[in-house]
Each structure stands twice: as structure tokens, then as C-alpha cells.
Amino acid sequence: MAETIIPKATAKRLPLYYRYLTFLANAGTTKVSSTELSEAVKVDSATIRRDFSYFGALGKRGYGYDVKDLITFFKKILNQDRLTNVALVGVGNLGHALLNYNFRQANNIRISAGFDLNPDIAGTIQSGVPIYPMADMVEQLKEQQIEIVILTVPTDAAQDITDGLVKAGIKGIMNFTPLRISVPSYVRVQNVDLATELQTLIYFLEHYGPTLKDAEADKAQ
Amino acid sequence: MAETIIPKATAKRLPLYYRYLTFLANAGTTKVSSTELSEAVKVDSATIRRDFSYFGALGKRGYGYDVKDLITFFKKILNQDRLTNVALVGVGNLGHALLNYNFRQANNIRISAGFDLNPDIAGTIQSGVPIYPMADMVEQLKEQQIEIVILTVPTDAAQDITDGLVKAGIKGIMNFTPLRISVPSYVRVQNVDLATELQTLIYFLEHYGPTLKDAEADKAQ
DNA sequence: ATTGAAAAGCGAAATATTGCACAATATTGC
DNA sequence: GCAATATTGTGCAATATTTCGCTTTTCAAT
């Protein structure tokens, strides 16, 4: 909040940079240039330099960036230095998959509670995560002070459940339903719409040629 | 290809519009205004009008848009008038969830083949979809003339498998691995990076206030 | 030390996208 | 048929983002 405001487009790339940097560190690499980074994450090198520059001078001219320094810096910025608990609302097919998706290892994020209507699941522990009945959702979220949820419920139920989440004091929702849910201004929604994404891919295939940038990359090979 | 090129940002919203329009049609609604649409899909009404206008004058001033007309039009544009077959490469947790995700109903997209290394799965039928061993991938993709795949394999294997996909003549990849895979220019990649998405949400929560737009929407309530 | 090469940082231009504001036009009710 | 109302389509300004191109700095090798 205190820092100068970072463009959204930049913010979206930060986790990507962070992941690749940790990969480099694990491989024993100590320095990296914007050009190398660019090839790995497929973002123009000038964009990377600009992105980093919003945070001040992190690199050394003529040398590059120190991997460890960058990691230390981004770890803090991205809240990776402390565990973030999130809840999973709706433990169906996709929900189950997300329980097994290792957010924790790479990102210090843990799904610490799940909620589902299904009485066969509610009350059990799935992939190490306790699943509570939907009726207890608001209460449990408040008690566990969870501020972020992953919403993987049937579309029909999405808005009602969202209203409950808002009552429970949730601040952020990762919305896997195709419904664009309504929330008050202080709640942030990140939509992940799988069918739309696939449709968009198909549309691009049919209506756009190869990108110029890629065409150049091609030539270079 | 023939039409004037549509901005990417617009293209990404088309499936969203299409879905809501089919919802309206099912509910028996025959006309819709950009303002109504705007509230449902949370996109500014002027943006919606501009988006539609790229395709020519689809609405009537003082009246709005005819739902059926729009659907007919977008159905064609979005290739929803014919079934699109895609393959699923990597039938793990997430892969299984996607097999059960109903792309078909809403989008006329069918997962018609799956591939996996695991001999327990290869050769079986999962959720109605035949799963082939990885070794047969290139051959099967060619034979079935599949041009689009969903990639849900372990990160380590992603680039190697991608190279195989390219050999098989694939045109589009929906990439669920966190690796930014390298492909030739004529192959389009759509990245869906769940951990990154969640990280971004957390970053926004920590570093940005409520959006102005939302704040206004709030007032209006 | 000196020089050459590498690479960050950044002003500024280019490009992309959004949203305002209003004229143009259709519909509806009288 | 006319007035009142609704709502599109779009010029234009505002905003956001990317990219170029150059200056500055640093490192490494001689």
C-alpha cells in the first residue's frame, strides 16, 4: 500500500518471475539477465526490466540481477514469507483436484478447510483437509479467520454462497464458476473460466495468424 | 480471417457474452440492452457496444439487441455450430476433473481422447473418454486429426511432451503446467496457471484498495 | 588503469484498451 | 402522427501497457 502503485499487468507477472527465480536458485544459478529471464517466461526483456524498476533499482548495469536478492525481495512482496490459509468451497471434481494441487510447496498457500453440501463428504478429511458442512461455512470462516476462498460450486448456487462468503468477511474469491458473481467493492474476485479460456483459444486459432513476435522468434531459431 | 481484425481484449470477452446470451434465451428473453448485459457480465456497457460494433451493426437504436440474432451470429463466430474435438494429455487429478467438466454442454467442445503414462489408466475408458498410452500420442492425434490439446502433465515432462504435440501437428495448447512452454509460431498457447492466479489475488488484496469502478457500483446499491 | 562488452534503467514514442458523452435512430404510448 | 423515451454506435479523450533506443554503469580481460 505504501509503495508506489504497480500496474496491474506487472502485478500479474510477479508470481511468474518468482517461480522461475526459485527454479534458478535451486539449480544453483546466482545471477540472471533480463534477456535470459525473457526467454524462460516469454515476456519481453524490456518489460521485465520495467517491471523490476517499479520496485527500485534491483539489478546492476552490465551485470544483471542477483537471483538471491530478487527472491528475497519478491518473497516479501508476494507474501511468500508467511503461510496463507485459504478455504475451498465446493468439493466436487474440480475441488478435489485442487486439494491435491500442491499450492503449498511452490507458493506457501494452504487449503486449510473445505465446505460441501454433500453429507458423504462433509465431516470427513480429504487429502488432509477437513471438510465441513455448508451450513457451518460462515461460522467456520470467521472462526478460522480465513480471508480467501476458492469457489468451485455449481453455478446455480454461486451467488447465494458468495453472499454467505461476504457475510463471513471474506476479502478475495477465486471464482471457478462461469457466473460473474456480485460482491461489494472491498471484495476482490479473480475469475478462472475454463470453458471461456478454451473458447478463446479456438477463436484465436481460427481468426488470428501467428503473432509477429513469435514469427520473429521463429526466424531466430 | 477475412473479417477486420478484432482486438484481443474483445475476443476474450466473446465467449462470456455468448454464454450469458444462451442463458437469456433459455429463460425466454428475446431482447437485451447493453446495460443489462453489462450488469450480468460486469463489463462496461460502452465496451460491450464497442465490442459488438466490430462485427457490424447488430442492435437497434432505442431498442437493444435481439437475443436470438446475437446468438446466431456469435455461434458461428465462435465455432459453436460444430463440435470441436480436443485431447487431454495427462490424466491425473486435474485431468480427471476436466474430463468431468462439462465443456460440451455449454460449448460444443468434446474431449475425445486422453493420454497418460500410467499403465493402470492407459487402455481404459474414463468418464466416457478412451485413454491411450503416451507412446501412442503422436500417432493417435494425427489419426484423429485433433488440433487442440489440454496439457495437464507434470512440469518436468511438459516441454518434451509439447515437442511431441508439435510433431503431431497440434495447433493450440491449453497449458495447465506452470512452465512457459516453447512452441513454433504457428502453435498458440493459452496458459492457465492456477497458483499464479491465486498469488495474484493475494497480491491485489495486500496492495490495492477497492477499485473505483466497484466503489461506484457500491454507491449505487 | 584502460578498454570493450554486457546489461540495467528510463524517457519517450507507439500501441492497445477503455469509457465518456452525445448525436442518431428506433420504439412506445397517447 | 407526435412527443417522450430508450438505447445504439462512435468520435474522442483518457488511461494502460508495451516497446524502442539510448545513456549509464558495471564487470572482466588485458
Side-chain angles (χ1 to χ4, degrees), chain B:
Chain B
M1 232 33 123
E3 315 100 35
T4 12
I5 201 81
I6 293 347
K8 271 194 208 165
T10 296
K12 287 185 191 168
R13 285 187 292 264
L14 298 181
L16 186 62
Y17 298 148
Y18 182 72
R19 175 163 39 218
Y20 188 68
L21 289 168
T22 55
F23 167 78
L24 284 180
N26 289 338
T29 311
T30 60
K31 75 161 187 173
V32 68
S33 71
S34 58
T35 315
E36 293 170 70
L37 222 47
S38 170
E39 278 157 31
V41 301
K42 321 280 189 224
V43 172
D44 186 272
S45 67
T47 300
I48 292 178
R49 291 197 297 279
R50 168 102 37 199
D51 283 347
F52 287 3
S53 79
Y54 289 120
F55 300 101
L58 300 174
K60 287 183 199 167
R61 295 176 187 222
Y63 175 81
Y65 300 88
D66 184 278
V67 173
K68 229 173 201 169
D69 285 358
L70 282 184
I71 288 180
T72 308
F73 188 79
F74 282 129
K75 183 175 271 176
K76 209 169 171 187
I77 294 253
L78 289 173
N79 270 64
Q80 303 268 348
D81 52 348
R82 59 178 180 79
L83 183 65
T84 302
N85 287 316
V86 307
L88 177 71
V89 179
V91 189
N93 278 311
L94 188 54
H96 260 111
L98 294 176
L99 282 178
N100 292 304
Y101 193 94
N102 208 340
F103 288 111
R104 182 153 197 190
Q105 194 185 340
N107 299 91
N108 225 356
I109 294 169
R110 177 179 63 177
I111 298 179
S112 58
F115 298 94
D116 205 287
L117 263 185
N118 184 348
D120 293 346
I121 297 186
T124 67
I125 293 189
Q126 301 284 323
S127 309
V129 177
I131 312 297
Y132 302 89
M134 218 58 172
D136 298 356
M137 186 180 77
V138 174
E139 183 197 335
Q140 279 293 326
L141 288 175
K142 278 187 183 167
E143 196 174 308
Q144 299 191 32
Q145 298 187 39
I146 292 176
E147 300 197 316
I148 297 170
V149 309
I150 300 174
L151 187 66
T152 48
V153 299
T155 309
D156 302 341
Q159 187 60 58
D160 276 358
I161 292 175
T162 297
D163 294 346
L165 293 173
V166 171
K167 277 207 195 80
I170 283 302
K171 295 280 171 24
I173 299 174
M174 190 173 182
N175 175 28
F176 278 88
T177 77
L179 186 76
R180 294 308 211 228
I181 52 181
S182 296
V183 296
S185 66
Y186 55 84
V187 174
R188 198 164 278 269
V189 177
Q190 187 92 1
N191 295 300
V192 180
D193 192 333
L194 302 180
T196 287
E197 216 88 38
L198 198 43
Q199 283 290 296
T200 301
L201 175 60
I202 293 173
Y203 183 85
F204 280 162
L205 289 181
E206 298 283 331
H207 299 270
Y208 291 73
T211 61
L212 281 177
K213 209 189 345 178
D214 287 346
E216 275 154 32
D218 233 27
K219 255 192 312 188
Q221 279 180 9

Side-chain angles (χ1 to χ4, degrees), chain A residues 44-122:
Chain A
D44 187 272
S45 67
T47 301
I48 292 179
R49 290 197 298 278
R50 169 89 48 194
D51 283 348
F52 287 2
S53 80
Y54 289 119
F55 300 102
L58 300 174
K60 285 185 200 166
R61 296 175 188 219
Y63 174 82
Y65 299 90
D66 184 278
V67 173
K68 231 174 200 169
D69 284 359
L70 282 182
I71 289 180
T72 308
F73 188 79
F74 282 130
K75 183 174 269 176
K76 207 169 173 187
I77 293 254
L78 289 172
N79 270 64
Q80 303 266 351
D81 51 349
R82 59 178 180 80
L83 184 66
T84 302
N85 287 316
V86 308
L88 177 70
V89 179
V91 189
N93 278 312
L94 188 53
H96 260 110
L98 294 176
L99 282 179
N100 291 304
Y101 193 95
N102 207 340
F103 288 112
R104 182 152 197 191
Q105 194 185 339
N107 299 91
N108 225 353
I109 292 170
R110 178 179 65 175
I111 299 180
S112 58
F115 299 95
D116 205 287
L117 265 184
N118 184 347
D120 293 346
I121 296 184

